[in-house]
Amino acid sequence: MATGSTTLDYFNLTASLFVICVFQVLSVSDSVPPKVFAALSAAEEARCSLEDLMQREQVISDELQQHLQKAQPYMDNFGQALNQVDIIERHMKYLRCLQYIEELSSAVQQCLMTNSVWEAIKAVDNMAALVAGLNESRCSHLQNFLRETLHFWHKIIKDRLASDFEKVLTQLHWPILSPPAQSLTPTANSQEIHSQLEVLVSQLLALQTSYPLIWAGLYAPSASPQSQAPPLCLPIQIMLLPLSRRFRYHFYGNRQTNSLSKPEWYLTQVLMWMTYSSTFLEEKIQPILDRASATIKARVELCRGLLSLVQDKVAVDASRLLYDDGLFCHLVEEVLQFEKELRTQQLYPAALPGLLHLLLDDAVLQKWLTMEKKMAVEKVDAMLSAEGAWTSQYKDISDMDELKAPDCAETFMTLLQVITDRYRALPCPSAQLKFLELQRELVDDFRIRLTQVMKEESRCPMGVRYCAILNAVNYISTILGDWEDNVFFLQLQQTAVSLGEEAVLGNLGVMEIGRLASLEGSLFEGLLALLDRLKADMMGRLLDGIMREISEKAKPYCQDRWLSLPSQQDQSIMSLSSSACPMMLCVRDRLLNLHQVLSVTLFQLAWQGLAERLDNFLYQDVILSNHFSDGGAAQLHFDMTRNLFPLFGHYCKRPENFFKHVKEACIILCLNVGSAILLRDLLKESEEETGDWKSGDPSPESALNELGVYCLASCDVLILLNLRASWPGQ
């Protein structure tokens, strides 16, 4: 009604406005054309027609409203009737559901009375389907009644099948507690027993499949919270019962076999049960599972069931041993060994949890880390103070002693490798990173210890112990360099970056973390830099000590009368300068000593570094500090090329390349007079020349290169030429 009234008012207002407009038009001009009059007449007729329609609409609307008011009681009564019908219908469904449950229950009972187990399982399966269909229902009492009924019959059928199954297993000599005999004569009724076995296993599988919720909720073995594996296979669970009873009898309570100091007793026993039972499971149970199209491995299921017993036992023992360092370490070792044998010998799938997750408990893991550090520090203290700490155990076997690592360094890196082997299999990357950080801490601590011992031995850098320390530093650096490319540590590196582990990454900036993420850097980069710095410092001290000794032996050689030595033509045969003999012997002895005490890579660095230092020493203290006659230059050349260079020729093909200053200085000093004059004039002209060289004139560099001089500069060559005593007119 409100809508009709509003519409009528709107049209009345429109018509009034239209009439006013018409009168305004008439008042403006009395001479309106005929077409306008016709239009106005049509508009007036339309207004009258509209008013008539609006009046009729108002009448109809009033009549409709009166009709609705009269029909409202009937509608209310009809709605109540529909609600009652709906309630009755739901009650009927409820009663039919109860009746269906009773029918299924009676069917199960009747089937069991007639020994129709398959029909009983089918009825239970229908009951389970009804449970699934009522999951969305709000009839909680009905749901509870149905579940309890289903539980009741499921348990009765399970107990009946379990009893029969246990009898058959007993006839098949289960459980197998000792190594099975290689050949057994089959009994007369073996075929019948195997037929019964197959029927019972198939029925138990069907019963478990019919209602897995009951199995998971009531009959699944206790498992760790970390385990998200499906419930055990029902036949295997029944087979586990005698083993479970034996396990709890021997390894719980006051039995002597329940010893905290002997976890290997129950761990070994479980592994033996797994091994002894494998043949029976593969030959008797697995074929039945395969024919039933069950995606279950009997051996794996038995291992899972036995592991649930061990998991509970280890969890209890670990919490009791947190304050006993020795027993705790022994338990961890035994658990790790058990896990290794479980995966390798029993072929237990890696996707399923073993025992290692029990070691990831916060208290247990922290205790483990603490004990690893404590035992490592104690072992380092012991091996550094041992009598043979700085000798190599392979010193008498040349093929195996390239690194010449002292026993303490090799033992230390073996210790780190053992730690790696222990935590490598942990299923938690963040826990592995904690062990990695412990290893880095131990390496840095060992580096500091080596530095302290090195400073004590630095007064005798050529001693055996000092070189052994240098070998130790190089050995540790080499092993860590190999670890940089190890897949396991690369994966840990990526994990550390992805997890943002501050304990491992430290205060690295964005660029450093980016290098780690792209595998351009490594988690051992900082340690390697410190070790390389220590190695370079020790090598420098060693070579400085050798050079001090060589310099002392070379004093007579440096002060030799090079200017007055006779020319080569005046000597029948050239021989080593007598003043050079002490120096040469010292160089030879030190090279032999370094070759014996240093590793191959360190000796390579050592003789090259010694050659470089010796080259600079001879050039500065012998050549540039003296003047040379032709005979003196020839003698110097003979001493160097025929005596000094061959000492290093044992370790490279062209030793003269490591004495570039000396070699090139000998070339300049031994030039014949004409060539020396031309070269001197060319070099002097090059110093005075300010513009480009004239076309066709050789450059000083090309002239020197033709003579075999590449290292010395033009100014150095001029200095050497001025050291020659044999110039025309002198």
mmCIF file of all heavy atoms in Angstrom, residues 248 474 537 643:
data_model
loop_
_atom_site.group_PDB
_atom_site.id
_atom_site.type_symbol
_atom_site.label_atom_id
_atom_site.label_comp_id
_atom_site.label_asym_id
_atom_site.label_seq_id
_atom_site.Cartn_x
_atom_site.Cartn_y
_atom_site.Cartn_z
ATOM 1 N N ARG A 248 59.471 -56.560 27.610
ATOM 2 C CA ARG A 248 59.124 -55.901 28.871
ATOM 3 C C ARG A 248 59.521 -56.758 30.080
ATOM 4 O O ARG A 248 59.856 -56.210 31.137
ATOM 5 C CB ARG A 248 57.628 -55.589 28.903
ATOM 6 C CG ARG A 248 57.208 -54.626 27.804
ATOM 7 C CD ARG A 248 55.766 -54.198 27.905
ATOM 8 N NE ARG A 248 55.416 -53.321 26.803
ATOM 9 C CZ ARG A 248 55.695 -52.023 26.738
ATOM 10 N NH1 ARG A 248 56.344 -51.459 27.742
ATOM 11 N NH2 ARG A 248 55.353 -51.296 25.702
ATOM 12 N N ASN A 474 99.110 -26.939 7.969
ATOM 13 C CA ASN A 474 98.835 -27.208 6.561
ATOM 14 C C ASN A 474 97.873 -28.382 6.404
ATOM 15 O O ASN A 474 96.979 -28.362 5.546
ATOM 16 C CB ASN A 474 100.140 -27.508 5.838
ATOM 17 C CG ASN A 474 99.931 -27.798 4.368
ATOM 18 O OD1 ASN A 474 99.561 -26.918 3.599
ATOM 19 N ND2 ASN A 474 100.158 -29.037 3.981
ATOM 20 N N ASP A 537 102.890 -16.930 8.228
ATOM 21 C CA ASP A 537 103.764 -16.380 9.262
ATOM 22 C C ASP A 537 104.847 -17.390 9.642
ATOM 23 O O ASP A 537 106.031 -17.032 9.774
ATOM 24 C CB ASP A 537 102.924 -16.001 10.479
ATOM 25 C CG ASP A 537 103.779 -15.465 11.620
ATOM 26 O OD1 ASP A 537 104.545 -14.511 11.391
ATOM 27 O OD2 ASP A 537 103.677 -15.995 12.745
ATOM 28 N N ASN A 643 126.584 -24.651 -9.909
ATOM 29 C CA ASN A 643 126.614 -25.129 -8.532
ATOM 30 C C ASN A 643 125.339 -24.787 -7.759
ATOM 31 O O ASN A 643 124.719 -25.664 -7.148
ATOM 32 C CB ASN A 643 127.832 -24.557 -7.796
ATOM 33 C CG ASN A 643 129.139 -25.093 -8.337
ATOM 34 O OD1 ASN A 643 129.584 -26.175 -7.987
ATOM 35 N ND2 ASN A 643 129.765 -24.315 -9.239
#
